[in-house]
Amino acid sequence: MPRTTDGDGTPVPQRLLAAATRLFAERGYDRTSVQEIVEAAGVTKGALYHYFGSKDDLLHEVYARVLRLQQDRLDTFADADEPVEKRLRDAAADVVVTTIDNLDDASIFFRSMHHLSPEKNRQVRAERRRYHERFRALVEEGQQSGVFTKEIPADLVVDYHFGSIHHLSTWYRPDGPLSPQELADHLADLLLRALRP
Amino acid sequence: MPRTTDGDGTPVPQRLLAAATRLFAERGYDRTSVQEIVEAAGVTKGALYHYFGSKDDLLHEVYARVLRLQQDRLDTFADADEPVEKRLRDAAADVVVTTIDNLDDASIFFRSMHHLSPEKNRQVRAERRRYHERFRALVEEGQQSGVFTKEIPADLVVDYHFGSIHHLSTWYRPDGPLSPQELADHLADLLLRALRP
DNA sequence: CAGCACATACCGACTGGTTAGTCTGTCGTC
DNA sequence: GACGACAGACTAACCAGTCGGTATGTGCTG
């Protein structure tokens, strides 16, 4: 096989994806030209269109990666052998930490959904919904067993929490007073406090 | 004075602003061409550049309008002669209702900040901060007087709540099961519940 | 009150610049 | 010699903003 890497050891497709992620997060999808992406990755357009069908396709890959990661992590926490309060708290805190670890992904995720083609948009929404459902199931389980209040619809609680996650990429600063873990604990605490009967 | 309106009685600048708001919310700032805006408003480019300095300027006007409205409403509720829990609850619920009433504005607000020129961006951020501060002051007042928990930094609580507001334009559907007021009450309730000592 | 000066409110063709995607060709490897 | 992995010039489309021009109303002046 001819060379797949160049200079450093990272394969070209991954280099392209990394460059695109950074640039999309920095200046937005539409403001980032394909030319800039390939230059940042140290290749040319030929390489990009060899591996990806379109610019839109590149964006879709960013989404796929994030979705896969978050879903895996949620499944791990939700399946744990712990009381439901702890499972929810752990899952809620983990998504905060993971989001902060990948702030670029997060800002792209919520800011650029509408730049995906309608078909890919539907696909991403569907996967997102699965994620949401899983989270909601945890809340409902706690409501059934009486450890959480039934006053508030579970759906709404989930959207409330993810709203704040979404917002993180807008206001979180790595040089702020709180470490990612401290912040995550606080946010998970807010959620659990709101759910007290 | 020559005609300022045409067909219907609405003045041209307002027609342009309304058309731009709808289109920006629908397909995003970059995906909306100036040509589309003027066509939707029933005028031509000459008219747009007669009233606005640039496309960016048009976006800025959308921001200015929203900021003014929200700040006025917050001031009203925060200055009321009521206990702090009620003032915070009313303000928190009101911003939800107002946001739902202007969902287009909301999706533009959070999605298109980075399309503003650096200078206008700074301006909007500064005004936004004033708003945030006012809201935070309410939380802190309640923490001082002991009706809210001091466990969680007030800043964080405010960002938590506004995260969910921000997110509204993503998931709220007018044909959903909850009326705007019901939803607002629930979200305000979540906030106040989380703040219980 | 006629008529001239001037301003405001637009119109729409044009320009300079940018961009996603294509396509032909080259090079190294199996 | 066939094929995968690119290079890079090229194209067709689009788009923000400009600019010279027109139309309509207002105010001043003789």
Side-chain angles (χ1 to χ4, degrees), chain A residues 1 3 43-44 46-47 50-51:
Chain A
M1 212 195 302
R3 89 206 117 108
V43 292
T44 62
H50 180 69
Y51 290 109

Side-chain angles (χ1 to χ4, degrees), chain B residues 47-68:
Chain B
L48 192 152
Y49 284 96
H50 180 70
Y51 290 108
F52 300 94
S54 62
K55 187 185 174 187
D56 174 274
D57 214 45
L58 204 52
L59 179 61
H60 183 67
E61 280 303 314
V62 176
Y63 278 90
R65 193 163 40 103
V66 178
L67 285 165
R68 233 179 295 130

